[in-house]
Amino acid sequence: DVARKIRENYLFPKLKEGKNIIIDYSGINSTTQSFTHALISDLIRTYGDVFFEKVYFKSCTPTVQRVIAIVSEYMQGTMNK
């Protein structure tokens, strides 16, 4: 629910306005694949390459980077089918 609220109340409106977004992971050591999927998958599905041009991830640990990469690659793969 937290990821959905962030996505719906903040991320979608900002992308719709054409604004850049920084998702700051300062102080967060890890994240689950399910949380990350809930946070960004609909954005990637809706905005495609624009998502990757407008959304930046800040202060990510290697673990967080891997989870974001897994979800991003999966979503790009589903878009190309």
Side-chain angles (χ1 to χ4, degrees), residues 9 14-15 21 26 44 50 57 67 77:
N9 296 331
K14 294 299 180 193
L15 280 176
I21 296 171
S26 295
I44 295 170
V50 171
F57 297 91
V67 172

Side-chain angles (χ1 to χ4, degrees), residues 19-45:
K19 295 189 177 181
N20 291 339
I21 296 171
I22 297 172
I23 300 175
D24 189 351
Y25 278 85
S26 295
I28 298 171
N29 294 322
S30 66
T31 185
T32 64
Q33 190 170 331
S34 61
F35 178 88
T36 304
H37 189 275
L39 185 66
I40 67 173
S41 64
D42 282 348
L43 298 168
I44 295 170
R45 188 178 299 114

Side-chain angles (χ1 to χ4, degrees), residues 43-44 46-55 76 79-80:
L43 298 168
I44 295 170
T46 301
Y47 288 98
D49 289 338
V50 171
F51 171 86
F52 296 102
E53 296 167 6
K54 297 283 187 182
V55 178
Q76 288 176 315
M79 291 170 43
N80 294 328

